[in-house]
Amino acid sequence: MATPEAVPVLKNFFVYNPTLGPREGEEHKKILYYLPEDADIDTKVRAVGLCEAMVQFTKTFSPNMPCEVVHTLKTRQFYVNPEPDYWIVMTVLLPCKKVTSKDGKALFEYKEEDIQDTLYQSVLELAYQMFRLFHGPFVYIRKHHDVEGLMHTLQHFFSKYLPQIRWHQVDLLDVFNGLSFLPLDKNVFLRVQSFINLLESSFSQIKHTVFMFTDQLVWSGLEQEDMRVLYKYLTTSLFPVCFKGEIVAAPSSSNPDWLLVNMTSGTKSSPPTASRSGAGGAATGGAPHQGQFLNGPKNIQDPSTAIKMPRIFVNTTGGDQMEEHNLLVYHALGATVCFMIDGSSPPSYEFCKRLDTFVGPHLSSLAKMITDYLQGRRSTTSDVQHRYIYFNHMNLAQKSSVHSRKAPFVTISQDLMRLLADINSDFKRSNLDGETVIKTMTDCWVVGRRSDQREFFVVLNQKNANLIEISEEVKKLSATNFNNIFFLD
């Protein structure tokens, strides 16, 4: 008998295209990637065949939205159809514990409530979005590198990405996958905007720019869907590794540490080694500054230095056309600028040198200005009785006091996190504005509110309060933290 697992475990993951092996005896040609990779071909063919049958069966009842999730006693299987004729399937083993029956037999009790469909469906969708960001759509790869090239790319990507996912820590923020914005006053924001305009007019190779301070977004020239995936990569992979505690992003269940791996060679990039004392600016004849590249040139003072950076695919037209760019990231004193550079050719050392000379002093000055502004408006009050999550579907803005930015855990129990996800699922199914108020067995109050494409969840530890008092507390919390956001009562 298998060993019981206390947490969810990935059983298999595969990508297939049913049009690639239409005849009998060619079923294996449909499989583009399968994990575990050491599974025998019969196991792979049977798994894919079963999924094909499930999709065709459900199309009978819902042609435009076929199978998404399949529940069994021991597993949960998730389906995504990201591109025509391409399917991604993920099977997760349910957590279980060993129990003894009345007649003394040892049995496994499976906890199906620990796997919530919306959470793991979001993880699967993000896996594809992250793949597309760094490699482009499946159709693009097949067009330029044939089926064998697509299979190799899928293997290279997912064999490193999937083992890094913390399946037991998937929660509501994985569903939202939003952006944390940094609000600035108009004077500071205009200085940032002026800097970006000057930068893009001075360097024609730079097609798009993203400006962040710590792990919060200030300005983006990308479409929302591309920005949310790039933001995930920056805050859960690049920043934590490069800064080792200087910048600590909100933790994520799908933290792709492997993305620091060079996309072509498979070698892991080193943290930035450029001097933070302004040596880069002095060496190139510019003003002293504290800027440095987080990728690209390893040593800006050495003309022979290797220049390595990932290539990304973004959609800036709103259609199906993807643009290919080189991603270059620069940092100074908490401020980070991401440059999407024309992908027709990699940036030269001379380009990076000029960019360092120009950006270093400007970004160092801007970072100090933003720091001074934030110190002047920092709040010293905090009510530990209230924990909340906020998400705006229109601009993807999210805020959370449930997730600690200094440690990889949440500040409420897993049972409460699952309850929040259940409320979110109810909102998604009904697609109507409303409010849900629940009192748990542990005397916590949980409030979920959906209003005008915004969702607001609050956990209050006030066991002696009544419904009216809880409603007033939620109003006070909204007025304190979201005073410029309109919520329907």
Side-chain angles (χ1 to χ4, degrees), residues 406-424:
K406 297 182 178 180
F409 54 79
V410 296
T411 56
I412 61 176
S413 69
Q414 288 298 317
D415 288 338
L416 288 175
M417 285 301 300
R418 283 193 284 268
L419 186 56
L420 297 182
D422 286 338
I423 298 174
N424 167 259

Side-chain angles (χ1 to χ4, degrees), residues 70-127:
V70 174
H71 291 217
T72 70
L73 175 64
K74 301 179 181 181
T75 66
R76 195 72 50 85
Q77 193 167 59
F78 303 90
Y79 296 68
V80 168
N81 180 207
E83 301 176 32
D85 296 325
Y86 289 92
W87 286 86
I88 306 177
V89 181
M90 175 179 77
T91 309
V92 179
L93 292 171
L94 297 178
C96 61
K97 64 178 180 180
K98 197 172 185 179
V99 297
T100 304
S101 64
K102 293 181 180 179
D103 56 1
K105 293 182 179 180
L107 301 173
F108 284 161
E109 183 179 278
Y110 292 91
K111 305 176 184 178
E112 61 176 350
E113 69 279 358
D114 285 7
I115 301 289
Q116 293 170 288
D117 293 350
T118 55
L119 303 189
Y120 287 84
Q121 190 78 11
S122 299
V123 170
L124 183 57
E125 291 169 357
L126 177 62

Side-chain angles (χ1 to χ4, degrees), residues 194-236:
S194 176
F195 163 70
I196 292 173
N197 291 340
L198 180 61
L199 175 68
E200 292 184 349
S201 63
S202 302
F203 297 86
S204 60
Q205 301 98 315
I206 298 177
K207 302 304 180 182
H208 310 285
T209 308
V210 172
F211 189 103
M212 298 179 65
F213 191 80
T214 62
D215 62 345
Q216 294 180 288
L217 183 63
V218 176
W219 164 265
S220 171
L222 297 177
E223 292 290 326
Q224 284 187 345
E225 290 304 314
D226 290 322
M227 186 62 237
R228 76 196 309 182
V229 183
L230 179 61
Y231 179 85
K232 190 81 168 182
Y233 160 66
L234 294 172
T235 57
T236 63

Side-chain angles (χ1 to χ4, degrees), residues 226-280:
D226 290 322
M227 186 62 237
R228 76 196 309 182
V229 183
L230 179 61
Y231 179 85
K232 190 81 168 182
Y233 160 66
L234 294 172
T235 57
T236 63
S237 180
L238 184 64
F239 289 174
V241 172
C242 287
F243 300 113
K244 299 293 185 183
E246 176 184 334
I247 291 180
V248 181
S252 167
S253 63
S254 48
N255 181 355
D257 293 334
W258 63 271
L259 285 175
L260 287 176
V261 175
N262 181 271
M263 291 296 130
T264 55
S265 67
T267 57
K268 190 165 184 178
S269 302
S270 301
T273 56
S275 171
R276 299 193 182 202
S277 62

